[in-house]
């Protein structure tokens, strides 16, 4: 039987070899944390390599994602579809083993990590999802949701502020099934961290309300005892502080930043093999070690046991079982589309005039009873963001049958936790804040788009319409820069009907995140035909048309649609053929067929004007060099909203003047 040390050395050898072959990577963390991974996977992890999507598996997150060769090696050794050839292709084009772990590439990779601190925040989200699902579905004698979330993290994760945001909330919510392992090696890229990181990390996490232990990260017995103790603590998340040596086994580079982010070098790899008593050739693993690591049979037994439990559960609670399967599959309820469309029609008939943030709340009131998987929250702005619908059940410690989280003032942490909730499965989460604070959350939004997951980011107070709070809170550049994130879908609706459609689109989208951007100020309801209502989902459509080919096209979004419509109906333009296009989502419009896009924006019509109270640069894609944009290319000012719109040129007169100038030059 293979010794624990040799089982761990298999990780070290594969990490050294893969990084060396790629001539790129981070061997130090995998070599330093190999003993922890060996104990965790071989003594505790419940998972099935032949079915990586088993719903009650334990989750593992490598928050210090630069150490990606650790999870890749473990997945290969324990029996996942990650081959030796995959490890040899580490960091190569289209391989399963990119430089940082990426969700959707190698089976068993639960989330994309690399930007430090986000992995542990995703793990908090996963632990939240586990607790809430357990409260919603478990019945006496049938704990069908009962698993742990484990996370590895390094000094860099702890230095990033997001780890404070997420771990503070995890302690407050008493997430006892979250266990994190700190790789306390005292090294980062620049060298020994004592020069810039002297936090008392154990005291910090105790202050959060975590259970904290300190162990020798190279002593399997200590590690095992600590994990057993952590699993026994039900009312606190646990941090196991593991004192490790980065690059363990490298005679000349262990304990040094030289093993952090570069290959060890052929000579040092050879010396490390001697130090570790590792005789096999590169990328060769003795059969005895494969047998010691293999989890396919044990994992299948674990899943089979759960399947038997679930079958008995389904017999005793058939409706709950069917709902659990639906939620975990991500399917929407059968009556969803019909009910959602009925609400959109009712909203149009009601013709309300109100802020789109208020319209959003009305939509939540209608949609939440249809969607028990809808899981909301706000970064301490629930009343302002319009996220607190009448049926919310806020999550608190020991109160886990919830559908809402008060995230506190934690925009970045909220967004990364939402990503973890999505990745866990069973929920469509949304989280809200003011649009200007999307900058705080930006990298988590980017990661959601990169992972193609269904996080819904709600942003209100979308422009200078915020008013007296001034330029610190008035979003100017945020909308265009959010549109620039690949695979991000952004909606800025102009009234209650477009708001409902934008929510429906976000709920139905399965291949990426959505940003829903809402106004603070009241907006006028726009009259539409049934065909126009249907066209809203295309992202851009003709709201007001003319006979024949237009002389000019005015394109607008959000609060500026009302302005465009008013301008088009003035006497000054009555002899001109004006088309008004409402474009609540440029990203959705761009997905439409060329034929549809040209039916809305005929290529022969060069006189085009865009009106939007945000930075103008991105709109030239739609108006061309001959067109004009009335936008915001400065910061705002502190004043009532009406005064600001007039001051910055968002008036009927300015729109009319711009159209006339376009037609003169044409």
């Amino acid at each position: 039987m293979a010794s624990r040390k040799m089982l761990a050395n298999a990780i070290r050898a594969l990490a050294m070899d893969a990084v060396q072959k790629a001539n790129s990577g981070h061997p130090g963390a995998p070599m330093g944390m190999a003993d922890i991974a060996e104990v965790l996977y071989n003594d505790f992890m419940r998972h099935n390599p032949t079915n990586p999507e088993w719903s009650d598996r334990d989750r593992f997150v490598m928050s210090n994602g630069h150490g990606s060769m650790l999870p890749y090696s473990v997945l290969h050794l324990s029996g996942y579809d990650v081959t030796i050839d995959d490890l040899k292709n580490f960091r190569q084009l289209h391989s399963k083993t990119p430089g940082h772990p990426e969700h959707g590439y190698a089976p068993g990779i639960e989330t994309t990590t690399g930007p430090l601190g986000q992995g542990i925040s995703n793990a908090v989200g996963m632990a939240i999802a586990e607790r809430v699902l357990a409260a919603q579905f478990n019945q006496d004698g049938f704990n069908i949701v009962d698993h742990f979330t484990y996370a590895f993290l390094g000094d860099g994760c702890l230095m990033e502020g997001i780890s404070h945001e997420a771990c503070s909330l995890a302690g407050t919510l008493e997430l006892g099934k979250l266990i994190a392992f700190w790789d306390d090696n005292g090294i980062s890229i620049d060298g020994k961290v004592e020069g810039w990181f002297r936090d008392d990390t154990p005291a910090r996490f105790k202050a959060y309300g975590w259970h904290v232990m300190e162990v020798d990260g190279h002593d399997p017995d200590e590690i095992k005892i600590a994990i057993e103790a952590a699993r026994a603590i039900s009312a606190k998340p646990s941090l196991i502080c593991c004192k490790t040596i980065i690059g363990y086994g490298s005679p000349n580079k262990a304990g040094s930043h030289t093993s952090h982010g570069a290959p060890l070098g052929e000579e040092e790899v050879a010396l490390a093999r001697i130090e570790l008593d590792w005789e096999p050739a590169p990328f060769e693993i003795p059969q005895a070690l494969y047998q010691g690591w293999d989890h396919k049979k044990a994992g299948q037994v674990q899943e089979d046991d759960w399947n038997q439990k679930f079958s008995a559960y389904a017999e005793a609670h058939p409706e709950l079982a069917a709902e659990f399967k639906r939620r975990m599959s991500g399917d929407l309820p059968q009556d969803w589309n019909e009910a959602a469309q009925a609400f959109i029609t009712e909203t149009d008939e009601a013709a309300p005039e109100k802020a789109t943030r208020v319209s959003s709340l009305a939509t939540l009131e209608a949609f939440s009873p249809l969607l028990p998987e809808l899981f909301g929250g706000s970064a301490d702005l629930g009343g302002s963001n319009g996220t607190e619908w009448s049926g919310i059940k806020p999550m608190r410690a020991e109160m886990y049958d919830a559908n809402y989280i008060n995230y506190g003032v934690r925009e970045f942490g909220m967004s990364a936790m939402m990503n973890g909730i999505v990745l866990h499965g069973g929920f469509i989460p949304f989280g809200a804040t003011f649009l200007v604070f999307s900058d705080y959350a930006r990298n988590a939004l980017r990661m959601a788009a990169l992972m193609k997951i269904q996080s819904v980011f709600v942003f209100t107070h979308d422009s200078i319409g915020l008013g007296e709070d001034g330029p610190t809170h008035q979003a100017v550049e945020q909308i265009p820069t959010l549109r620039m994130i690949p695979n991000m879908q952004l909606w800025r609706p102009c009234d209650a009907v477009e708001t409902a459609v934008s929510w429906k689109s976000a709920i139905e989208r399965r291949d990426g995140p959505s940003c829903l951007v809402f106004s603070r100020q009241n907006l006028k309801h726009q009259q539409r035909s049934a065909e126009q209502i249907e066209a809203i989902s295309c992202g851009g459509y003709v709201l007001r048309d003319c006979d024949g080919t237009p002389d000019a096209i005015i394109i607008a979004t959000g609060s500026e649609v009302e302005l465009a419509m008013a301008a088009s109906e003035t006497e000054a333009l009555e002899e001109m053929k004006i088309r008004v296009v409402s474009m609540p989502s440029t990203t959705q419009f761009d997905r439409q067929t060329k034929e549809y896009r040209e039916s809305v924006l005929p290529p022969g019509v060069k006189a085009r004007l865009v009106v939007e109270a945000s930075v103008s640069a991105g709109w030239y894609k739609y108006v061309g060099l001959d067109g004009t944009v009335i936008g915001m290319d400065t910061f705002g000012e502190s004043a009532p909203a009406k005064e600001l719109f007039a001051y910055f040129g968002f008036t009927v007169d300015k729109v009319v003047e711009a159209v006339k100038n376009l037609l003169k030059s044409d």
Side-chain angles (χ1 to χ4, degrees), residues 95-115:
S95 75
K96 287 184 181 178
T97 52
H100 291 82
E102 292 193 37
H103 175 68
Y105 282 66
I109 297 297
E110 301 283 2
T111 181
T112 300
T113 55

Side-chain angles (χ1 to χ4, degrees), residues 351-370:
E353 179 172 325
K354 54 189 175 183
T356 50
R357 63 170 174 160
V358 178
S359 300
S360 173
L361 178 59
T363 304
L364 288 172
E365 290 283 2
F367 285 178
S368 59
L370 306 173

Side-chain angles (χ1 to χ4, degrees), residues 541-565:
Y541 65 101
V542 178
L543 182 60
R544 181 187 186 275
D545 212 355
C546 55
D547 294 330
T549 302
D551 295 323
I553 300 173
I554 307 174
I555 306 166
T557 78
S559 52
E560 289 71 69
V561 169
E562 180 179 334
L563 178 61
M565 289 291 286

Side-chain angles (χ1 to χ4, degrees), residues 144-403:
I144 61 164
V145 181
D146 187 14
H147 53 265
F148 285 85
T149 301
Y150 299 101
F152 283 7
L153 65 155
D155 291 323
C157 295
L158 294 174
M159 283 186 262
E160 289 286 0
I162 189 174
S163 68
H164 164 74
E165 295 183 24
C167 293
S168 167
L169 186 59
T172 300
L173 296 177
E174 299 180 0
L175 300 177
K177 291 201 167 179
L178 172 64
I179 301 175
F181 300 81
W182 170 33
D183 182 23
D184 180 15
N185 60 37
I187 296 293
S188 67
I189 290 175
D190 284 347
K192 294 182 178 180
V193 300
E194 62 187 19
W196 49 86
F197 181 57
R198 294 188 183 181
D199 296 11
D200 186 341
T201 296
R204 168 184 165 186
F205 275 77
K206 287 176 183 175
Y208 292 154
W210 287 51
H211 170 63
V212 179
M213 294 157 287
E214 299 180 53
V215 302
D216 179 346
H218 301 298
D219 185 328
D221 293 333
E222 283 193 31
I223 297 165
K224 183 175 181 180
I225 291 168
I227 297 174
E228 287 172 341
R231 286 165 57 94
I233 302 291
S234 62
K236 291 183 178 183
S238 293
L239 177 70
I240 303 177
C241 306
C242 304
K243 198 67 183 174
T244 61
I245 300 171
I246 191 171
Y248 182 94
S250 171
N252 299 302
K253 297 187 177 184
S256 165
H257 70 283
T258 57
S259 68
H260 183 284
L264 297 179
E266 297 286 355
E267 234 179 85
E268 187 67 13
V269 169
L271 292 173
R273 296 178 111 79
I274 296 170
E275 182 78 13
L276 296 169
D277 195 24
W278 187 263
E279 297 179 357
F283 295 105
E284 287 187 6
I285 303 294
Q287 196 58 38
L289 296 184
Y290 274 127
Q291 291 172 356
W293 270 103
D294 184 50
H295 197 73
K296 292 193 294 294
K297 183 176 179 180
Q300 191 61 57
V301 168
Q302 289 170 341
E303 184 176 355
D304 288 344
D305 288 345
W306 182 86
N307 286 335
Q308 289 180 11
K309 183 192 297 184
F310 189 80
S311 294
Y313 174 83
E315 193 170 323
H317 306 282
E319 291 183 3
L320 279 175
E323 178 68 359
F324 180 79
K325 289 171 73 173
R326 181 191 72 78
R327 295 253 310 256
M328 293 306 292
S329 71
D331 294 334
L332 293 171
Q334 287 187 349
D335 62 348
W336 156 252
N337 187 64
E338 183 180 352
Q341 284 300 138
F343 172 73
I344 291 167
T345 301
E346 291 168 9
T347 300
D348 181 62
E349 292 170 351
E353 179 172 325
K354 54 189 175 183
T356 50
R357 63 170 174 160
V358 178
S359 300
S360 173
L361 178 59
T363 304
L364 288 172
E365 290 283 2
F367 285 178
S368 59
L370 306 173
L371 298 167
E373 58 265 51
L374 203 60
F375 194 76
S378 179
D380 203 49
L381 292 167
S384 293
N385 294 149
T387 55
E388 296 178 345
W389 73 96
S390 61
I392 66 167
K393 295 186 287 184
M395 186 176 183
R396 299 287 187 267
E398 299 301 322
M399 295 171 60
Y400 299 125
D401 183 9
N403 60 12

Side-chain angles (χ1 to χ4, degrees), residues 34 128 302 402 423 437 496 617 619 657:
I128 287 169
Q302 289 170 341
L423 290 162
F437 301 136
W619 282 109
E657 180 185 350

